[in-house]
Amino acid sequence: MIRSSLLPIGVLALSVLTPVTAYAEQPSNVGDAIMTARAYHDSGDYQRDFDAVILQARQTLARDAAHTRNPAIVLDIDETTLSNWDEIRADDFGYIPNGPCDSLPKGPCGAVAWEQSGRAPAFVSTRALIEDAYNQHVAVFFVTGRHENERAATERNLRAAGIPRWDGLYLRPDDSHVRAGAYKTPTRASIEAKGYTIVESLGDQPSDLTGGHAEHTFLLPNPFYRVP
């Protein structure tokens, strides 16, 4: 039986020509997002946007530091002070926590192994901001989502990347799994409790900056991953 022959011609035409929506609106295609993110980085636009934010932070520090009591800056580490691009590219924007990282530029590259290797380069513009802080007698604090068991590797990496000293390096306890904001906000408050005025706080994630305890905040571009 050919059922369509029982339909009026107009109804048959409508059923053929009108597309049927069988699904809810789809999210953005992940493959397209990866290609767009890679092009953003490789074109130089990412670095230009990053440097523009750091320039604003340097200008703000130059304006405010001399008029602030016990001034300090707070910086995140990953994608703010140190670049993990070699790991991100090798893992095709995925997150692989475990396993070795010994085949770069090919992957996979385990995130823990990468961080323990201490090979991440510093962003040149961020290092210039830190040098401004040194010269203007501004305390430098790092508040990172890395855990305490990465302290030695992180300190070694910072020094190898041309950042020789800081006034505090705050890492999560090894058993901490709270959201970034729930850890970083009270950490900034504890820095203030020591008598410092945080002139500015910098990070690549909104969760780096939420909760106050900084005169100014600067959000750096990062379309590569999200930390809630």
Side-chain angles (χ1 to χ4, degrees):
M1 180 184 295
I2 303 176
R3 293 184 182 274
S4 60
S5 65
L6 302 178
L7 296 173
I9 293 176
V11 174
L12 177 60
L14 183 63
S15 68
V16 172
L17 298 177
T18 302
V20 176
T21 302
Y23 305 101
E25 183 177 353
Q26 297 182 52
S28 299
N29 184 275
V30 173
D32 291 343
I34 287 174
M35 289 188 290
T36 300
R38 186 180 289 113
Y40 175 56
H41 178 278
D42 293 348
S43 69
D45 288 343
Y46 165 67
Q47 192 62 60
R48 281 189 289 271
D49 291 347
F50 187 102
D51 292 345
V53 176
I54 294 292
L55 178 60
Q56 294 176 14
R58 295 181 70 185
Q59 292 170 339
T60 299
L61 190 66
R63 183 192 68 203
D64 293 356
H67 309 290
T68 302
R69 180 177 176 274
N70 294 333
I73 61 173
V74 171
L75 302 103
D76 173 52
I77 289 184
D78 296 301
E79 274 54 69
T80 298
T81 304
L82 301 177
S83 171
N84 298 298
W85 177 249
D86 288 344
E87 176 218 345
I88 292 169
R89 177 179 54 192
D91 289 339
D92 205 21
F93 298 85
Y95 178 65
I96 303 174
N98 301 314
C101 182
D102 51 16
S103 300
L104 292 175
K106 295 181 179 180
C109 173
V112 173
W114 164 256
E115 291 174 3
Q116 290 288 353
S117 74
R119 288 181 284 173
F123 289 97
V124 174
S125 54
T126 304
R127 191 168 58 205
L129 169 65
I130 293 170
E131 290 169 355
D132 287 351
Y134 294 158
N135 294 332
Q136 296 171 48
H137 308 289
V138 175
V140 176
F141 293 94
F142 293 108
V143 180
T144 174
R146 296 185 181 195
H147 289 87
E148 273 291 339
N149 59 17
E150 297 176 282
R151 178 176 291 277
T154 300
E155 290 179 345
R156 184 176 69 251
N157 197 156
L158 288 170
R159 293 190 177 100
I163 301 168
R165 57 187 172 87
W166 46 86
D167 295 271
L169 170 59
Y170 294 86
L171 300 96
R172 292 176 187 251
D174 289 337
D175 59 353
S176 171
H177 301 287
V178 299
R179 287 176 175 259
Y183 154 70
K184 294 193 172 189
T185 301
T187 303
R188 290 194 302 274
S190 72
I191 294 170
E192 288 182 328
K194 294 179 178 179
Y196 291 98
T197 301
I198 300 174
V199 178
E200 54 194 38
S201 179
L202 294 90
D204 63 291
Q205 303 288 327
S207 57
D208 292 330
L209 309 175
T210 58
H213 301 286
E215 299 292 318
H216 304 279
T217 58
F218 294 92
L219 180 63
L220 295 156
N222 183 358
F224 311 131
Y225 60 83
R226 176 68 69 218
V227 178

Short mmCIF file of all heavy atoms in Angstrom, two decimals, residues 43-109:
data_model
loop_
_atom_site.label_atom_id
_atom_site.label_comp_id
_atom_site.label_asym_id
_atom_site.label_seq_id
_atom_site.Cartn_x
_atom_site.Cartn_y
_atom_site.Cartn_z
N SER A 43 46.81 33.14 15.14
CA SER A 43 46.78 34.40 14.37
C SER A 43 47.53 35.52 15.08
O SER A 43 47.85 36.54 14.47
CB SER A 43 45.33 34.84 14.15
OG SER A 43 44.74 35.24 15.38
N GLY A 44 47.78 35.34 16.38
CA GLY A 44 48.37 36.42 17.17
C GLY A 44 47.35 37.28 17.88
O GLY A 44 47.72 38.10 18.73
N ASP A 45 46.07 37.08 17.57
CA ASP A 45 45.03 37.90 18.22
C ASP A 45 44.96 37.62 19.72
O ASP A 45 44.74 38.53 20.52
CB ASP A 45 43.67 37.63 17.58
CG ASP A 45 43.54 38.22 16.19
OD1 ASP A 45 44.37 39.11 15.85
OD2 ASP A 45 42.65 37.81 15.44
N TYR A 46 45.14 36.36 20.10
CA TYR A 46 45.11 36.03 21.52
C TYR A 46 46.19 36.79 22.28
O TYR A 46 45.92 37.41 23.31
CB TYR A 46 45.28 34.52 21.70
CG TYR A 46 45.63 34.09 23.10
CD1 TYR A 46 44.71 34.22 24.14
CD2 TYR A 46 46.88 33.53 23.39
CE1 TYR A 46 45.04 33.82 25.44
CE2 TYR A 46 47.20 33.13 24.68
CZ TYR A 46 46.28 33.27 25.70
OH TYR A 46 46.61 32.88 26.97
N GLN A 47 47.41 36.75 21.78
CA GLN A 47 48.50 37.43 22.49
C GLN A 47 48.29 38.94 22.50
O GLN A 47 48.58 39.60 23.51
CB GLN A 47 49.84 37.10 21.83
CG GLN A 47 51.03 37.51 22.67
CD GLN A 47 51.08 36.78 24.01
OE1 GLN A 47 51.16 35.56 24.04
NE2 GLN A 47 51.00 37.52 25.11
N ARG A 48 47.79 39.50 21.42
CA ARG A 48 47.52 40.94 21.39
C ARG A 48 46.46 41.31 22.42
O ARG A 48 46.60 42.31 23.15
CB ARG A 48 47.09 41.37 19.99
CG ARG A 48 48.25 41.54 19.03
CD ARG A 48 47.81 42.18 17.73
NE ARG A 48 46.99 41.28 16.94
CZ ARG A 48 47.49 40.43 16.04
NH1 ARG A 48 48.79 40.34 15.85
NH2 ARG A 48 46.69 39.64 15.35
N ASP A 49 45.39 40.52 22.51
CA ASP A 49 44.34 40.81 23.49
C ASP A 49 44.87 40.65 24.91
O ASP A 49 44.55 41.45 25.81
CB ASP A 49 43.14 39.89 23.26
CG ASP A 49 42.40 40.19 21.97
OD1 ASP A 49 42.64 41.27 21.38
OD2 ASP A 49 41.58 39.36 21.55
N PHE A 50 45.66 39.61 25.12
CA PHE A 50 46.27 39.37 26.43
C PHE A 50 47.14 40.56 26.83
O PHE A 50 47.03 41.10 27.94
CB PHE A 50 47.10 38.08 26.35
CG PHE A 50 47.66 37.61 27.66
CD1 PHE A 50 47.06 36.55 28.33
CD2 PHE A 50 48.79 38.19 28.21
CE1 PHE A 50 47.58 36.09 29.53
CE2 PHE A 50 49.32 37.74 29.40
CZ PHE A 50 48.71 36.69 30.07
N ASP A 51 48.02 40.97 25.93
CA ASP A 51 48.94 42.06 26.24
C ASP A 51 48.21 43.37 26.49
O ASP A 51 48.66 44.20 27.30
CB ASP A 51 49.94 42.24 25.10
CG ASP A 51 50.90 41.06 24.97
OD1 ASP A 51 51.00 40.25 25.91
OD2 ASP A 51 51.56 40.97 23.91
N ALA A 52 47.09 43.57 25.81
CA ALA A 52 46.32 44.81 26.02
C ALA A 52 45.76 44.88 27.43
O ALA A 52 45.74 45.95 28.05
CB ALA A 52 45.18 44.89 24.99
N VAL A 53 45.31 43.74 27.96
CA VAL A 53 44.80 43.72 29.34
C VAL A 53 45.95 43.97 30.32
O VAL A 53 45.81 44.75 31.28
CB VAL A 53 44.10 42.38 29.64
CG1 VAL A 53 43.66 42.33 31.11
CG2 VAL A 53 42.90 42.19 28.73
N ILE A 54 47.09 43.34 30.09
CA ILE A 54 48.23 43.54 30.98
C ILE A 54 48.68 45.00 30.94
O ILE A 54 49.07 45.57 31.98
CB ILE A 54 49.39 42.60 30.60
CG1 ILE A 54 49.00 41.14 30.85
CG2 ILE A 54 50.65 42.96 31.38
CD1 ILE A 54 48.84 40.76 32.30
N LEU A 55 48.65 45.62 29.79
CA LEU A 55 49.02 47.04 29.70
C LEU A 55 48.12 47.89 30.57
O LEU A 55 48.59 48.80 31.28
CB LEU A 55 48.96 47.51 28.24
CG LEU A 55 49.29 48.99 28.01
CD1 LEU A 55 50.70 49.32 28.49
CD2 LEU A 55 49.12 49.35 26.53
N GLN A 56 46.83 47.61 30.56
CA GLN A 56 45.91 48.34 31.44
C GLN A 56 46.28 48.14 32.91
O GLN A 56 46.25 49.08 33.70
CB GLN A 56 44.48 47.88 31.19
CG GLN A 56 43.93 48.23 29.82
CD GLN A 56 42.53 47.67 29.61
OE1 GLN A 56 41.85 47.25 30.55
NE2 GLN A 56 42.08 47.64 28.36
N ALA A 57 46.65 46.90 33.25
CA ALA A 57 47.04 46.62 34.64
C ALA A 57 48.32 47.37 35.00
O ALA A 57 48.44 47.90 36.12
CB ALA A 57 47.23 45.12 34.82
N ARG A 58 49.28 47.43 34.09
CA ARG A 58 50.52 48.17 34.37
C ARG A 58 50.25 49.65 34.55
O ARG A 58 50.83 50.30 35.44
CB ARG A 58 51.52 47.94 33.23
CG ARG A 58 52.00 46.51 33.09
CD ARG A 58 53.01 46.36 31.96
NE ARG A 58 54.27 47.02 32.30
CZ ARG A 58 55.30 47.12 31.45
NH1 ARG A 58 55.20 46.62 30.21
NH2 ARG A 58 56.42 47.72 31.82
N GLN A 59 49.39 50.19 33.73
CA GLN A 59 49.05 51.62 33.84
C GLN A 59 48.34 51.90 35.16
O GLN A 59 48.59 52.92 35.82
CB GLN A 59 48.20 52.04 32.65
CG GLN A 59 48.95 52.02 31.33
CD GLN A 59 48.06 52.21 30.12
OE1 GLN A 59 46.83 51.99 30.19
NE2 GLN A 59 48.63 52.61 29.01
N THR A 60 47.44 51.02 35.55
CA THR A 60 46.72 51.19 36.81
C THR A 60 47.68 51.11 37.99
O THR A 60 47.60 51.90 38.94
CB THR A 60 45.62 50.13 36.94
OG1 THR A 60 44.69 50.28 35.87
CG2 THR A 60 44.88 50.26 38.27
N LEU A 61 48.61 50.17 37.95
CA LEU A 61 49.58 50.04 39.03
C LEU A 61 50.46 51.27 39.13
O LEU A 61 50.71 51.78 40.24
CB LEU A 61 50.44 48.79 38.80
CG LEU A 61 51.33 48.38 39.96
CD1 LEU A 61 50.49 47.93 41.16
CD2 LEU A 61 52.29 47.26 39.54
N ALA A 62 50.91 51.78 38.00
CA ALA A 62 51.75 52.98 38.01
C ALA A 62 51.00 54.18 38.58
O ALA A 62 51.58 55.03 39.27
CB ALA A 62 52.23 53.29 36.59
N ARG A 63 49.71 54.22 38.35
CA ARG A 63 48.90 55.34 38.84
C ARG A 63 48.61 55.24 40.33
O ARG A 63 48.64 56.25 41.05
CB ARG A 63 47.58 55.37 38.06
CG ARG A 63 46.65 56.54 38.41
CD ARG A 63 45.29 56.30 37.81
NE ARG A 63 44.60 55.18 38.44
CZ ARG A 63 43.63 54.48 37.86
NH1 ARG A 63 43.25 54.76 36.62
NH2 ARG A 63 43.04 53.49 38.51
N ASP A 64 48.36 54.03 40.82
CA ASP A 64 47.81 53.86 42.17
C ASP A 64 48.80 53.41 43.22
O ASP A 64 48.59 53.64 44.41
CB ASP A 64 46.65 52.86 42.14
CG ASP A 64 45.45 53.37 41.36
OD1 ASP A 64 45.49 54.53 40.91
OD2 ASP A 64 44.49 52.60 41.19
N ALA A 65 49.88 52.75 42.83
CA ALA A 65 50.74 52.10 43.82
C ALA A 65 51.33 53.08 44.82
O ALA A 65 51.36 52.81 46.03
CB ALA A 65 51.86 51.33 43.12
N ALA A 66 51.81 54.21 44.33
CA ALA A 66 52.50 55.16 45.22
C ALA A 66 51.56 55.80 46.22
O ALA A 66 52.01 56.34 47.24
CB ALA A 66 53.17 56.24 44.37
N HIS A 67 50.25 55.73 45.97
CA HIS A 67 49.27 56.38 46.85
C HIS A 67 48.52 55.35 47.70
O HIS A 67 47.49 55.68 48.30
CB HIS A 67 48.28 57.19 46.02
CG HIS A 67 48.94 58.11 45.04
ND1 HIS A 67 49.64 59.24 45.43
CD2 HIS A 67 49.04 58.06 43.68
CE1 HIS A 67 50.12 59.85 44.36
NE2 HIS A 67 49.77 59.16 43.30
N THR A 68 49.02 54.13 47.75
CA THR A 68 48.34 53.05 48.45
C THR A 68 49.21 52.54 49.59
O THR A 68 50.41 52.35 49.42
CB THR A 68 48.03 51.89 47.48
OG1 THR A 68 47.23 52.38 46.39
CG2 THR A 68 47.28 50.77 48.18
N ARG A 69 48.58 52.29 50.71
CA ARG A 69 49.32 51.76 51.86
C ARG A 69 49.54 50.26 51.69
O ARG A 69 48.63 49.50 51.44
CB ARG A 69 48.52 52.03 53.15
CG ARG A 69 49.18 51.53 54.43
CD ARG A 69 48.34 51.90 55.65
NE ARG A 69 48.90 51.36 56.88
CZ ARG A 69 48.65 50.13 57.35
NH1 ARG A 69 47.82 49.34 56.67
NH2 ARG A 69 49.21 49.72 58.47
N ASN A 70 50.79 49.84 51.81
CA ASN A 70 51.17 48.43 51.66
C ASN A 70 50.53 47.81 50.41
O ASN A 70 49.78 46.83 50.50
CB ASN A 70 50.77 47.63 52.90
CG ASN A 70 51.55 48.05 54.13
OD1 ASN A 70 52.68 48.52 54.03
ND2 ASN A 70 50.96 47.85 55.30
N PRO A 71 50.85 48.33 49.24
CA PRO A 71 50.21 47.83 48.02
C PRO A 71 50.67 46.43 47.66
O PRO A 71 51.80 46.02 47.94
CB PRO A 71 50.65 48.84 46.96
CG PRO A 71 51.98 49.34 47.45
CD PRO A 71 51.84 49.39 48.96
N ALA A 72 49.76 45.68 47.02
CA ALA A 72 50.06 44.32 46.58
C ALA A 72 49.29 44.04 45.30
O ALA A 72 48.27 44.68 45.01
CB ALA A 72 49.68 43.31 47.66
N ILE A 73 49.80 43.09 44.53
CA ILE A 73 49.04 42.54 43.41
C ILE A 73 48.91 41.03 43.63
O ILE A 73 49.77 40.41 44.25
CB ILE A 73 49.69 42.83 42.04
CG1 ILE A 73 51.09 42.20 41.94
CG2 ILE A 73 49.73 44.32 41.76
CD1 ILE A 73 51.70 42.31 40.54
N VAL A 74 47.81 40.48 43.14
CA VAL A 74 47.55 39.05 43.22
C VAL A 74 47.39 38.52 41.80
O VAL A 74 46.62 39.08 41.01
CB VAL A 74 46.29 38.75 44.05
CG1 VAL A 74 45.91 37.28 43.94
CG2 VAL A 74 46.50 39.14 45.51
N LEU A 75 48.12 37.47 41.49
CA LEU A 75 48.05 36.87 40.17
C LEU A 75 47.75 35.38 40.25
O LEU A 75 48.26 34.68 41.13
CB LEU A 75 49.39 37.03 39.42
CG LEU A 75 49.90 38.44 39.21
CD1 LEU A 75 51.03 38.74 40.19
CD2 LEU A 75 50.40 38.63 37.78
N ASP A 76 46.91 34.92 39.34
CA ASP A 76 46.78 33.49 39.08
C ASP A 76 48.05 33.03 38.37
O ASP A 76 48.87 33.86 37.94
CB ASP A 76 45.54 33.28 38.20
CG ASP A 76 45.39 31.86 37.72
OD1 ASP A 76 45.43 30.94 38.56
OD2 ASP A 76 45.25 31.66 36.50
N ILE A 77 48.26 31.74 38.25
CA ILE A 77 49.46 31.24 37.57
C ILE A 77 49.15 30.76 36.16
O ILE A 77 49.66 31.31 35.19
CB ILE A 77 50.14 30.13 38.40
CG1 ILE A 77 50.79 30.77 39.64
CG2 ILE A 77 51.18 29.39 37.57
CD1 ILE A 77 51.59 29.82 40.50
N ASP A 78 48.31 29.74 36.01
CA ASP A 78 48.12 29.12 34.70
C ASP A 78 47.30 30.00 33.77
O ASP A 78 46.19 30.43 34.10
CB ASP A 78 47.44 27.75 34.88
CG ASP A 78 48.32 26.80 35.66
OD1 ASP A 78 49.45 26.52 35.20
OD2 ASP A 78 47.91 26.35 36.74
N GLU A 79 47.87 30.29 32.59
CA GLU A 79 47.27 31.16 31.58
C GLU A 79 47.13 32.60 32.06
O GLU A 79 46.40 33.39 31.47
CB GLU A 79 45.92 30.62 31.06
CG GLU A 79 46.06 29.64 29.93
CD GLU A 79 46.98 28.47 30.26
OE1 GLU A 79 46.62 27.61 31.10
OE2 GLU A 79 48.08 28.41 29.68
N THR A 80 47.83 32.95 33.14
CA THR A 80 47.93 34.32 33.60
C THR A 80 49.40 34.71 33.72
O THR A 80 49.83 35.74 33.21
CB THR A 80 47.23 34.51 34.95
OG1 THR A 80 45.84 34.22 34.81
CG2 THR A 80 47.38 35.95 35.46
N THR A 81 50.17 33.87 34.42
CA THR A 81 51.60 34.09 34.58
C THR A 81 52.40 33.13 33.71
O THR A 81 53.35 33.53 33.03
CB THR A 81 52.00 33.92 36.06
OG1 THR A 81 51.21 34.80 36.87
CG2 THR A 81 53.48 34.23 36.26
N LEU A 82 52.02 31.86 33.73
CA LEU A 82 52.68 30.84 32.91
C LEU A 82 51.74 30.34 31.84
O LEU A 82 50.54 30.19 32.07
CB LEU A 82 53.13 29.66 33.79
CG LEU A 82 54.10 29.96 34.93
CD1 LEU A 82 54.38 28.69 35.73
CD2 LEU A 82 55.40 30.57 34.41
N SER A 83 52.29 30.05 30.67
CA SER A 83 51.50 29.54 29.54
C SER A 83 51.62 28.03 29.43
O SER A 83 52.73 27.49 29.38
CB SER A 83 51.97 30.17 28.23
OG SER A 83 51.35 29.53 27.12
N ASN A 84 50.49 27.35 29.36
CA ASN A 84 50.44 25.90 29.18
C ASN A 84 50.08 25.54 27.74
O ASN A 84 49.58 24.44 27.48
CB ASN A 84 49.43 25.28 30.14
CG ASN A 84 49.81 25.51 31.59
OD1 ASN A 84 50.85 25.06 32.04
ND2 ASN A 84 48.96 26.22 32.32
N TRP A 85 50.35 26.44 26.81
CA TRP A 85 49.91 26.22 25.44
C TRP A 85 50.46 24.92 24.86
O TRP A 85 49.77 24.21 24.12
CB TRP A 85 50.29 27.40 24.55
CG TRP A 85 49.93 27.17 23.11
CD1 TRP A 85 50.76 26.97 22.06
CD2 TRP A 85 48.60 27.07 22.57
NE1 TRP A 85 50.05 26.77 20.89
CE2 TRP A 85 48.72 26.83 21.20
CE3 TRP A 85 47.33 27.18 23.13
CZ2 TRP A 85 47.62 26.69 20.36
CZ3 TRP A 85 46.22 27.03 22.29
CH2 TRP A 85 46.37 26.79 20.92
N ASP A 86 51.70 24.57 25.17
CA ASP A 86 52.26 23.34 24.61
C ASP A 86 51.46 22.12 25.03
O ASP A 86 51.22 21.21 24.23
CB ASP A 86 53.72 23.18 25.06
CG ASP A 86 54.64 24.17 24.38
OD1 ASP A 86 54.24 24.77 23.36
OD2 ASP A 86 55.77 24.37 24.88
N GLU A 87 51.02 22.10 26.27
CA GLU A 87 50.17 21.00 26.75
C GLU A 87 48.78 21.06 26.13
O GLU A 87 48.24 20.04 25.68
CB GLU A 87 50.05 21.05 28.28
CG GLU A 87 49.12 20.02 28.86
CD GLU A 87 48.31 20.55 30.04
OE1 GLU A 87 48.65 21.61 30.58
OE2 GLU A 87 47.32 19.88 30.40
N ILE A 88 48.19 22.25 26.11
CA ILE A 88 46.84 22.42 25.56
C ILE A 88 46.79 21.96 24.11
O ILE A 88 45.90 21.23 23.69
CB ILE A 88 46.40 23.89 25.69
CG1 ILE A 88 46.22 24.27 27.16
CG2 ILE A 88 45.12 24.16 24.91
CD1 ILE A 88 46.06 25.77 27.39
N ARG A 89 47.77 22.38 23.32
CA ARG A 89 47.80 22.01 21.89
C ARG A 89 48.01 20.51 21.72
O ARG A 89 47.34 19.88 20.90
CB ARG A 89 48.92 22.80 21.21
CG ARG A 89 49.13 22.45 19.73
CD ARG A 89 50.24 23.29 19.14
NE ARG A 89 51.47 23.17 19.92
CZ ARG A 89 52.53 23.97 19.77
NH1 ARG A 89 52.49 24.96 18.88
NH2 ARG A 89 53.61 23.80 20.50
N ALA A 90 48.92 19.94 22.51
CA ALA A 90 49.21 18.51 22.38
C ALA A 90 47.99 17.66 22.70
O ALA A 90 47.79 16.60 22.10
CB ALA A 90 50.37 18.14 23.30
N ASP A 91 47.15 18.12 23.64
CA ASP A 91 45.96 17.37 24.05
C ASP A 91 44.72 17.78 23.28
O ASP A 91 43.61 17.36 23.63
CB ASP A 91 45.73 17.53 25.55
CG ASP A 91 46.78 16.80 26.37
OD1 ASP A 91 47.42 15.88 25.83
OD2 ASP A 91 46.97 17.16 27.56
N ASP A 92 44.90 18.62 22.24
CA ASP A 92 43.78 19.03 21.39
C ASP A 92 42.64 19.62 22.22
O ASP A 92 41.47 19.34 21.99
CB ASP A 92 43.28 17.86 20.55
CG ASP A 92 42.60 18.31 19.27
OD1 ASP A 92 42.86 19.45 18.84
OD2 ASP A 92 41.80 17.54 18.72
N PHE A 93 43.02 20.42 23.23
CA PHE A 93 42.10 21.16 24.09
C PHE A 93 41.33 20.27 25.07
O PHE A 93 40.42 20.73 25.74
CB PHE A 93 41.12 22.01 23.27
CG PHE A 93 41.80 23.06 22.43
CD1 PHE A 93 42.29 22.76 21.17
CD2 PHE A 93 41.98 24.35 22.91
CE1 PHE A 93 42.93 23.71 20.40
CE2 PHE A 93 42.62 25.30 22.15
CZ PHE A 93 43.10 25.00 20.88
N GLY A 94 41.70 19.02 25.17
CA GLY A 94 41.11 18.16 26.18
C GLY A 94 41.90 18.27 27.48
O GLY A 94 42.98 18.88 27.52
N TYR A 95 41.38 17.66 28.54
CA TYR A 95 42.08 17.63 29.82
C TYR A 95 42.43 16.19 30.15
O TYR A 95 41.55 15.36 30.36
CB TYR A 95 41.24 18.24 30.93
CG TYR A 95 41.93 18.20 32.28
CD1 TYR A 95 43.10 18.91 32.50
CD2 TYR A 95 41.42 17.42 33.32
CE1 TYR A 95 43.75 18.87 33.73
CE2 TYR A 95 42.06 17.36 34.55
CZ TYR A 95 43.23 18.09 34.75
OH TYR A 95 43.87 18.04 35.96
N ILE A 96 43.72 15.89 30.17
CA ILE A 96 44.21 14.56 30.49
C ILE A 96 45.03 14.69 31.77
O ILE A 96 46.19 15.11 31.72
CB ILE A 96 45.07 13.98 29.34
CG1 ILE A 96 44.26 13.96 28.05
CG2 ILE A 96 45.58 12.60 29.70
CD1 ILE A 96 45.05 13.54 26.83
N PRO A 97 44.47 14.38 32.92
CA PRO A 97 45.19 14.65 34.17
C PRO A 97 46.41 13.78 34.38
O PRO A 97 47.44 14.26 34.89
CB PRO A 97 44.12 14.41 35.24
CG PRO A 97 43.13 13.49 34.60
CD PRO A 97 43.12 13.84 33.16
N ASN A 98 46.34 12.52 34.02
CA ASN A 98 47.40 11.57 34.35
C ASN A 98 48.13 11.11 33.10
O ASN A 98 47.75 11.38 31.99
CB ASN A 98 46.81 10.38 35.11
CG ASN A 98 46.12 10.81 36.39
OD1 ASN A 98 46.66 11.60 37.16
ND2 ASN A 98 44.92 10.29 36.62
N GLY A 99 49.22 10.36 33.35
CA GLY A 99 50.01 9.85 32.25
C GLY A 99 51.21 10.73 31.97
O GLY A 99 51.33 11.84 32.48
N PRO A 100 52.13 10.24 31.14
CA PRO A 100 53.36 10.98 30.87
C PRO A 100 53.14 12.15 29.93
O PRO A 100 52.10 12.27 29.28
CB PRO A 100 54.26 9.91 30.23
CG PRO A 100 53.29 9.00 29.55
CD PRO A 100 52.08 8.95 30.46
N CYS A 101 54.15 12.99 29.87
CA CYS A 101 54.17 14.09 28.89
C CYS A 101 55.59 14.16 28.34
O CYS A 101 56.37 15.03 28.68
CB CYS A 101 53.77 15.41 29.54
SG CYS A 101 53.73 16.80 28.38
N ASP A 102 55.93 13.20 27.50
CA ASP A 102 57.31 13.09 27.02
C ASP A 102 57.42 13.00 25.51
O ASP A 102 58.45 12.58 24.98
CB ASP A 102 58.00 11.90 27.67
CG ASP A 102 57.21 10.60 27.55
OD1 ASP A 102 56.28 10.55 26.73
OD2 ASP A 102 57.51 9.66 28.30
N SER A 103 56.35 13.39 24.78
CA SER A 103 56.38 13.29 23.33
C SER A 103 56.05 14.62 22.64
O SER A 103 55.67 14.63 21.48
CB SER A 103 55.39 12.21 22.85
OG SER A 103 55.72 10.95 23.39
N LEU A 104 56.15 15.73 23.37
CA LEU A 104 55.81 17.02 22.78
C LEU A 104 56.65 17.28 21.54
O LEU A 104 57.81 16.90 21.48
CB LEU A 104 56.04 18.14 23.81
CG LEU A 104 55.11 18.14 25.01
CD1 LEU A 104 55.51 19.22 26.01
CD2 LEU A 104 53.66 18.34 24.59
N PRO A 105 56.09 17.88 20.49
CA PRO A 105 54.78 18.53 20.47
C PRO A 105 53.61 17.59 20.27
O PRO A 105 52.47 18.05 20.21
CB PRO A 105 54.89 19.49 19.28
CG PRO A 105 55.83 18.80 18.36
CD PRO A 105 56.84 18.13 19.24
N LYS A 106 53.85 16.30 20.18
CA LYS A 106 52.75 15.35 20.07
C LYS A 106 52.18 15.06 21.46
O LYS A 106 52.85 15.20 22.47
CB LYS A 106 53.22 14.06 19.42
CG LYS A 106 53.68 14.21 17.97
CD LYS A 106 54.11 12.88 17.39
CE LYS A 106 54.53 13.02 15.94
NZ LYS A 106 54.96 11.72 15.36
N GLY A 107 50.93 14.64 21.49
CA GLY A 107 50.30 14.22 22.72
C GLY A 107 50.20 12.71 22.78
O GLY A 107 50.72 12.02 21.89
N PRO A 108 49.57 12.18 23.82
CA PRO A 108 48.97 12.95 24.91
C PRO A 108 50.03 13.49 25.88
O PRO A 108 51.14 12.99 25.93
CB PRO A 108 48.06 11.93 25.60
CG PRO A 108 48.73 10.61 25.32
CD PRO A 108 49.32 10.73 23.94
N CYS A 109 49.60 14.49 26.65
CA CYS A 109 50.47 15.11 27.64
C CYS A 109 49.69 15.21 28.93
O CYS A 109 48.75 16.01 29.03
CB CYS A 109 50.93 16.49 27.17
SG CYS A 109 51.84 17.44 28.41
#
